[in-house]
Amino acid sequence: MAVEMKGFAETMRDLGKIEPAMKRQVFKDIRGIVKPVVDIINARIPSAPPISGMDHNGRTGWRNIKKVAVKIDTRAPRRPVGQSAQGAKTMSVVRIITKGAPVAIVDMAGKAGGRKSRRVTQFQRPNFASALDVVGSPSRFMWKDIDQSINAIESKLRKTVDDAVYAANRELMKVR
C-alpha cells in the first residue's frame, strides 16, 4: 500500500538546509510512528536458525542475523535517461527493510511457488521452501499480518507529514 505525498522530499531537503533540528525531529516522529510495526516484525524473527543448514557464521548464516530497519528517503525521484521529469518513478518515503541476507532468504523462500530452480543441479535445494513451511508460509516475518495496521499508520503518517510540510513552509517564508 502506498501513500502519495507530493513535495515532501523537496521540502525536507530545503528544511535541512535552513532548520536541520526541525528536520531531525520530523524524521524522529516518522520513525516513532512506524516503530510498533518494526517491533512486531523483529519479535517474529526467531533467535535460533529455522533449519540446521543456516547454523553458521557465513553471510547467509543465522548467527549473522540483522534486524529490521526503517529508512526515510528524501532523494529526488529517478527518471530514465531521455525522459522528462513527469516520467519520474515514485519513491517510498518510509521503507521497512531487512538488512541481512538470512532473514530475507527465509522470509520469502517459496514465494514464487515453483519447485524448479535455474541453478546448476548440484546446488539446487528442492526441499528448502517446504522445510521452511514449518515456520510459516512465505512472507513469514515481514508482512505476515501487518495489513490491519497499515490504515492507522497511514493516517498518523499523513498527519505528521502535513504538519511537517506546514511548519517547513512557515520557516521557509521567514527566510525568504
Side-chain angles (χ1 to χ4, degrees), residues 3 30 33-38 94 96 143 146 148-160:
V3 179
I30 290 172
I33 291 169
V34 183
K35 187 171 178 6
V37 173
V38 171
V94 179
I96 300 174
W143 305 112
I146 300 297
Q148 294 93 6
S149 59
I150 291 285
N151 290 334
I153 291 170
E154 180 182 340
S155 64
K156 290 178 187 175
L157 190 60
R158 190 174 295 278
K159 182 181 180 334
T160 300

Side-chain angles (χ1 to χ4, degrees), residues 19 23 85 91-92 103 174:
E19 193 68 42
K23 178 183 173 183
M91 291 180 52
S92 300
V103 174
K174 287 180 188 175

Side-chain angles (χ1 to χ4, degrees), residues 40-52:
I40 290 170
I41 294 169
N42 280 333
R44 284 188 189 141
I45 299 172
S47 57
I51 56 176
S52 61

